[in-house]
Amino acid sequence: MVNSVIYATKKGSAEIYAKAFAQKKNYPIYEHKQVLSEDLIDAEKIYYFASVYAGSLLGIEELKKKVPKNSQLTILPVGLSSANDHEKLAEIREGIVKVFPQAKIIHLRGRLNKEQLKLPEKLIIKMISKSSRKKSEQEKLDIEKAIEQVDTTGSVDYLDLAELVNID
């Protein structure tokens, strides 16, 4: 039996975490679109690092078709929400549990650079930021503060590879 790492990313944060983790553990690593069911047939544990977009995990439905039923699955959503964003994290967790009820879930924070965004994504950032600015600082979620920062400064970076130490 082997352990495997899979990642799904659009802007790179999940890939950075996944590659660092796979290298540290000496596990094979796959991009979610390239991994085949056959690649995972002997996997005892599978670690899935995936970007969060609008509260959903990138590639989770495709993963369901590829993961063997007997594998232990750890899902690592990577987004801008912090541990303080309880409702947002609960929404993400709920979406994961619908697909993988037995998965262990560990949230990680990523980064976002406005230059990487396409026009529709930039408009969404602008809208969320504008809405967030109407709230008091105490009312804002950490994700809203991060999006405001992306809108005003162009980027935010919460990547913390030291977090990988806590993953077994």
Side-chain angles (χ1 to χ4, degrees), residues 24-47:
K24 180 180 177 211
K25 299 284 191 173
N26 201 27
Y27 294 160
I29 184 168
Y30 306 93
E31 198 276 329
H32 84 287
K33 290 181 180 174
Q34 269 70 50
V35 69
L36 303 172
S37 299
E38 299 82 54
D39 297 325
L40 304 174
I41 200 85
D42 292 328
E44 181 180 340
K45 289 184 179 180
I46 296 172
Y47 299 88

Side-chain angles (χ1 to χ4, degrees), residues 101-147:
Q102 304 302 323
K104 180 178 179 181
I105 303 169
I106 302 169
H107 294 276
L108 298 170
R109 289 191 88 185
R111 65 182 184 177
L112 187 60
N113 186 324
K114 195 159 48 172
E115 290 180 9
Q116 292 179 305
L117 302 176
K118 295 176 181 163
L119 183 59
E121 296 166 322
K122 287 180 182 177
L123 293 173
I124 291 168
I125 293 292
K126 183 69 82 185
M127 288 178 2
I128 293 170
S129 180
K130 185 177 180 180
S131 173
S132 175
R133 285 194 187 99
K134 295 176 184 174
K135 298 179 181 181
S136 70
E137 282 301 308
Q138 295 79 14
E139 291 178 298
K140 294 178 188 179
L141 297 174
D142 286 345
I143 189 172
E144 292 171 313
K145 293 174 186 176
I147 289 172

Side-chain angles (χ1 to χ4, degrees), residues 3 11 14 29 47 49 53-55 58 65 70 82 89 95 105 110 119 121 125 132 145 150 163:
N3 297 332
K11 309 297 182 216
I29 184 168
Y47 299 88
F49 293 80
Y53 289 95
L58 186 64
K65 300 170 191 168
N70 60 338
S82 78
L89 295 182
I105 303 169
L119 183 59
E121 296 166 322
I125 293 292
S132 175
K145 293 174 186 176
V150 170
E163 290 288 322

Side-chain angles (χ1 to χ4, degrees), residues 36-86:
L36 303 172
S37 299
E38 299 82 54
D39 297 325
L40 304 174
I41 200 85
D42 292 328
E44 181 180 340
K45 289 184 179 180
I46 296 172
Y47 299 88
Y48 186 60
F49 293 80
S51 300
V52 176
Y53 289 95
S56 297
L57 209 58
L58 186 64
I60 194 166
E61 292 296 333
E62 295 91 344
L63 183 69
K64 176 82 174 165
K65 300 170 191 168
K66 299 175 183 180
V67 172
K69 298 209 182 319
N70 60 338
S71 295
Q72 294 176 30
L73 183 62
T74 299
I75 297 180
L76 302 109
V78 181
L80 295 180
S81 295
S82 78
N84 298 326
D85 295 339
H86 303 289

